[in-house]
Every structure is written in structure tokens, then in C-alpha cells.
Amino acid sequence: MKTFKKIVFWSLVTFAIIQFIPIDRVNKPVNHAVNFVDAKKTPQKIIDLIKGACYDCHSNETVYPKYAYIAPISWSVKSHINEGRERLNFSIWGTYNKELKENMLSRAAETVQNRMMPMPGYIVYHKEANLSDAERKLIGSYFEEMLKNKSY
């Protein structure tokens, strides 16, 4: 029983100490001239869907939920956001070259329509990101239309 109490005690101490290991939750300012929804004059319905389902991980407009302030969960959340921004950051859309834009739009259309994005774990805590089949088709079609018209 003494061993169990020591394990619990040191686990709690460790948990308390790791709360002091900070992560950077500061979003970079958004330049609306290069932000996807502004630069592309995106229809409001698409804006609402993309911002609700994609922008937390794929833009500099992340709204961190309460659980993102508790280590080690915060580390995982920040890691996912960093990875998401690395793959596609709507906030810096205008800075990407033509080839990157084509690749990102194609991949985005595919992942949304095939239910690979938003990630299922994200949807559990963010009901607004739980897109219907019609909404997924609408976003995918919007991206595909941009590709077809080369209006990216």
C-alpha cells in the first residue's frame, strides 16, 4: 500500500510540475490580403463551414479550447495545430505558389469528402466541425471548381 501511495503522490507532483511547461498559443496576425476566405471572396456558406471545421488547425485563427490549457493534452493539441498549419494554412494562402495551391486544394477536397478531415477526435469536442455529407460535398465541390477554373 505504501508503494501505491508513493506512485500516486509522485504522479500528482509530476502532473502539477508539467503545468508550468508552456506552449505558445499566440496566433500570428492575419493579413486579410493573403487569407483564403478574403482573397478568394469565398461565399459566406463556405466561409462558415471552413471556419467551423478547418480553421482551428489550418489557420492563424485558432481558438484554443479549455482542455488545451492542461498539460500534457496541451502538447498534443499544439502538435496537431502545428502539423495542420504546416500542411495547409488558410491564413497565408496568398503566399503559396501555384503548384502548392493546386496540391492543397486537391488534397483538401479529397480529405473532406472522404471523411478523413476533420479528424474524428476533433469532431467529438467540436460539434460544429461534424459536417454532413451535403456540407462535405459543398466544400469539396467548391475546391474542385477552383481547381477546374484555376482560380486559386
Side-chain angles (χ1 to χ4, degrees):
M1 194 59 158
K2 272 186 162 181
T3 304
F4 177 74
K5 286 182 181 180
K6 284 182 181 180
I7 291 171
V8 169
F9 173 78
W10 286 110
S11 296
L12 291 172
V13 168
T14 302
F15 181 77
I17 290 171
I18 66 173
Q19 301 312 306
F20 294 101
I21 301 172
I23 64 164
D24 182 12
R25 288 183 205 86
V26 177
N27 290 321
K28 294 178 183 173
V30 175
N31 176 351
H32 294 283
V34 297
N35 187 27
F36 179 85
V37 298
D38 299 315
K40 299 284 101 203
K41 300 194 181 2
T42 305
Q44 190 60 49
K45 177 68 174 169
I46 302 293
I47 291 172
D48 294 342
L49 292 173
I50 293 172
K51 285 198 172 193
C54 311
Y55 260 52
D56 271 349
C57 293
H58 294 284
S59 80
N60 294 337
E61 298 180 44
T62 303
V63 177
Y64 289 92
K66 290 179 182 171
Y67 61 81
Y69 291 83
I70 302 168
I73 298 167
S74 59
W75 305 340
S76 177
V77 169
K78 185 60 179 174
S79 174
H80 281 110
I81 291 168
N82 288 345
E83 184 179 336
R85 287 178 180 168
E86 187 176 299
R87 291 177 187 235
L88 166 61
N89 187 336
F90 286 110
S91 295
I92 60 170
W93 180 258
T95 66
Y96 294 135
N97 66 39
K98 178 184 172 202
E99 187 178 293
L100 274 173
K101 288 177 181 178
E102 286 177 356
N103 187 348
M104 289 176 182
L105 281 175
S106 175
R107 183 88 172 117
E110 177 187 334
T111 58
V112 169
Q113 289 176 329
N114 292 334
R115 298 189 157 275
M116 296 185 308
M117 283 287 159
M119 293 171 49
Y122 181 78
I123 291 172
V124 169
Y125 295 103
H126 302 271
K127 300 299 182 200
E128 70 282 2
N130 192 9
L131 301 171
S132 68
D133 289 339
E135 291 169 331
R136 288 174 181 281
K137 184 167 178 42
L138 184 64
I139 292 172
S141 296
Y142 180 72
F143 292 156
E144 288 168 351
E145 188 69 23
M146 288 180 73
L147 285 166
K148 184 175 122 187
N149 295 332
K150 298 196 182 291
S151 60
Y152 35 79

